[in-house]
Amino acid sequence: MTTTSTTAVKGPASYFPSIEKKYGRPIADWQDLIRSSPLTRHMELVNWLKSEHGLGHGHANALVAHTLAEHTGQ
């Protein structure tokens, strides 16, 4: 039996399905990339994902916000 959640995903994670579809990589790959970067500031990481990996601003911002929030417990 399968159960489906009727709760809508909110916040940065709401972008994840479209990020995976558009760029062909799982979210875990992007998060590993962000964690391994020597950059630590939000906008530095966003700009790096845009310039080096071709992500759009909204997608880069969502990935960085979600990944950095893991470290702060938000």
Side-chain angles (χ1 to χ4, degrees), residues 17-29:
S18 61
I19 292 170
E20 288 180 334
K21 183 177 179 182
K22 182 168 184 169
Y23 304 105
R25 292 175 75 168
I27 296 306
D29 283 4

Side-chain angles (χ1 to χ4, degrees), residues 13-71:
S14 67
Y15 286 89
F16 289 0
S18 61
I19 292 170
E20 288 180 334
K21 183 177 179 182
K22 182 168 184 169
Y23 304 105
R25 292 175 75 168
I27 296 306
D29 283 4
W30 292 112
Q31 291 180 309
D32 289 344
L33 199 60
I34 291 166
R35 288 184 201 109
S36 66
S37 170
L39 304 173
T40 57
R41 297 181 57 147
H42 182 95
M43 285 310 297
E44 289 175 335
L45 286 160
V46 168
N47 290 329
W48 172 69
L49 286 173
K50 290 167 58 177
S51 64
E52 296 298 317
H53 298 282
L55 271 72
H57 182 82
H59 288 161
N61 190 55
L63 284 166
V64 171
H66 189 79
T67 304
L68 293 182
E70 293 174 345
H71 296 296

